[in-house]
Amino acid sequence: MSQETKDAVNKILTEYLEVNKHRKTSERFAILNEIYSHDGHFDIEGLYLMMKNKKYRVSRATLYNNIEILLDAGLVIKHQFGKNMAQFEKAYKYRQHDHLICTDCEKVFEFCDPRIMQIQRSTEEMLNFKVLHHSLNFFAKCRQLSEKGSCQHYKK
Amino acid sequence: MSQETKDAVNKILTEYLEVNKHRKTSERFAILNEIYSHDGHFDIEGLYLMMKNKKYRVSRATLYNNIEILLDAGLVIKHQFGKNMAQFEKAYKYRQHDHLICTDCEKVFEFCDPRIMQIQRSTEEMLNFKVLHHSLNFFAKCRQLSEKGSCQHYKK
DNA sequence: ATCCCTGCAAAGGGTTTGCAGACGC
DNA sequence: GCGTCTGCAAACCCTTTGCAGGGAT
């Protein structure tokens, strides 16, 4: 992740905190920067461990509290891929995309289809809502599994 | 829900249990019939209370166990609308549809758009998967709230 | 008669909460 | 200095699990 992007998200967070009269604590910026140092999805426990490994002193409670702020600031997106555990990913300058989850190995693939925005516009008009964000997930079986009897992309 | 539909889903469950060598217990059919006696979404706790109120003797563990069977039999669909609690709805002869969740009052609206199937087909080809099911949710703000300062459709 | 399925209660795991101390403002 | 934010641990809630008894085959 470029320094340019990190500067941009730090600025967005600063402004968000000022506008909403929240304090600019070091933890808040540390969490944001940790998130923007990695690609892909993460969960709270993983984020906690990553920061702990770097000798960063953060509590799980602070992560839970601040992920809400980052969600509200539009810097992070939350997903529920069918498990009880929430997963997140960074949102800034990350192209709009959706997910396909392998029902066999649970690996998550991304894809992008502009037609989802057309559906969104139609739905907004039909129901008289303003859509803030969406979540489209396909749960699918790998064709290699169907054809060869085993899934070729097991997680980890 | 018509008797015709109830007969049909009971038959589907019977065949599913026979094919998969599971026992045809009275609880399984009672749960199925309870689910098909209501419209809209439900969670396990709600289903438990509904059956308990009818003096039906079922345990939560049995509900959790058997909702898995109903999911696998294609008679029920599972949703995770961003809460930690899973929500379900009946699947048989219920037209394909997706959901818009009001970010203000959390009420869930349904809509139907055939273009989602086009996206599904494209994604299947691109990633070489066979999609089993999908989930599309729009999280949106009610225009009445934006314009009038209050949401007009509070839950319950 | 076998052994899968059920009910009950306890355990599990992710998330939230309460509170004392720390620190942004 | 005031009031919010943090860290810690306990509480919470939904879900899963273990086990003994019961019912389907």
Side-chain angles (χ1 to χ4, degrees):
Chain A
M1 187 57 50
S2 72
Q3 190 57 44
E4 201 178 329
T5 299
K6 286 200 179 179
D7 291 346
V9 293
N10 274 277
K11 190 171 173 229
I12 291 171
L13 179 56
T14 301
E15 286 173 5
Y16 175 87
L17 294 174
E18 285 170 355
V19 167
N20 293 278
K21 308 247 187 306
H22 290 140
R23 291 180 178 172
K24 295 193 270 290
T25 65
S26 61
E27 287 84 358
R28 284 172 175 164
F29 290 93
I31 293 166
L32 178 65
N33 284 286
E34 182 65 35
I35 289 171
Y36 273 80
S37 295
H38 302 274
D39 282 323
H41 301 99
F42 64 92
D43 55 40
I44 296 291
E45 187 64 17
L47 184 57
Y48 174 72
L49 293 175
M50 284 196 295
M51 297 187 78
K52 195 172 189 179
N53 286 342
K54 292 185 182 172
K55 311 300 176 203
Y56 226 107
R57 180 186 166 71
V58 214
S59 74
R60 272 175 263 254
T62 300
L63 291 177
Y64 279 107
N65 285 334
N66 285 311
I67 204 83
E68 286 298 321
I69 285 178
L70 296 179
L71 282 170
D72 197 47
L75 291 166
V76 164
I77 291 173
K78 179 178 183 174
H79 297 291
Q80 298 263 160
F81 291 130
K83 295 275 159 300
N84 298 326
M85 176 190 58
Q87 288 190 258
F88 304 85
E89 71 183 319
K90 52 188 191 289
Y92 178 75
K93 269 206 173 175
Y94 205 49
R95 76 184 194 291
Q96 179 266 312
H97 65 273
D98 291 290
H99 300 95
L100 178 144
I101 299 99
C102 179
T103 54
D104 184 47
C105 70
E106 304 203 337
K107 194 156 188 269
V108 176
F109 297 84
E110 296 182 359
F111 66 90
C112 189
D113 196 308
R115 284 172 291 187
I116 188 67
M117 295 313 289
Q118 297 168 12
I119 296 179
Q120 180 171 316
R121 275 190 289 277
S122 302
T123 308
E124 283 181 320
E125 280 179 35
M126 184 170 50
L127 296 176
N128 197 33
F129 271 81
K130 172 66 189 158
V131 172
L132 304 175
H133 58 100
H134 77 268
S135 137
L136 168 61
N137 299 314
F138 288 126
F139 297 89
K141 188 179 273 295
C142 172
R143 288 202 195 279
Q144 294 179 312
L145 176 68
S146 317
E147 291 159 12
K148 302 176 188 168
S150 73
C151 178
Q152 307 294 310
H153 40 68
Y154 279 104
K155 212 173 177 180
K156 272 160 200 166
Chain B
M1 187 59 51
S2 72
Q3 191 56 44
E4 201 180 329
T5 299
K6 287 199 179 181
D7 291 345
V9 293
N10 275 277
K11 189 172 172 228
I12 291 171
L13 179 57
T14 301
E15 287 174 4
Y16 174 89
L17 295 174
E18 285 170 355
V19 167
N20 292 279
K21 309 245 188 306
H22 292 140
R23 291 178 179 171
K24 295 194 269 289
T25 65
S26 61
E27 288 84 357
R28 285 175 172 160
F29 290 93
I31 293 166
L32 178 66
N33 283 287
E34 182 65 35
I35 289 171
Y36 273 80
S37 295
H38 303 274
D39 282 322
H41 302 99
F42 64 92
D43 55 41
I44 297 291
E45 187 64 19
L47 184 57
Y48 174 72
L49 293 174
M50 284 195 299
M51 296 187 79
K52 195 172 189 178
N53 286 342
K54 291 185 181 172
K55 312 298 177 206
Y56 226 109
R57 178 186 168 73
V58 213
S59 73
R60 269 175 266 254
T62 300
L63 291 177
Y64 280 106
N65 286 333
N66 286 311
I67 204 83
E68 287 298 321
I69 284 179
L70 296 179
L71 282 170
D72 196 48
L75 291 167
V76 163
I77 291 173
K78 179 178 184 174
H79 297 291
Q80 297 265 160
F81 292 130
K83 296 275 160 297
N84 299 326
M85 177 191 58
Q87 295 196 83
F88 304 84
E89 71 182 319
K90 53 188 188 289
Y92 179 76
K93 268 207 176 176
Y94 205 47
R95 77 184 193 292
Q96 179 267 314
H97 66 274
D98 292 289
H99 301 94
L100 179 145
I101 300 101
C102 180
T103 54
D104 186 47
C105 70
E106 305 203 336
K107 193 157 188 266
V108 176
F109 298 84
E110 296 180 1
F111 66 90
C112 189
D113 195 309
R115 285 172 291 187
I116 189 67
M117 295 313 288
Q118 297 167 12
I119 297 178
Q120 179 171 316
R121 275 190 290 276
S122 302
T123 308
E124 282 182 320
E125 279 179 33
M126 183 170 52
L127 297 176
N128 197 33
F129 271 80
K130 173 65 189 158
V131 172
L132 304 175
H133 58 101
H134 77 268
S135 134
L136 168 60
N137 299 314
F138 287 127
F139 297 89
K141 189 180 274 293
C142 171
R143 288 202 195 280
Q144 294 179 313
L145 175 68
S146 318
E147 291 159 12
K148 301 176 187 168
S150 73
C151 179
Q152 307 294 309
H153 39 69
Y154 280 102
K155 212 173 178 180
K156 270 159 200 167

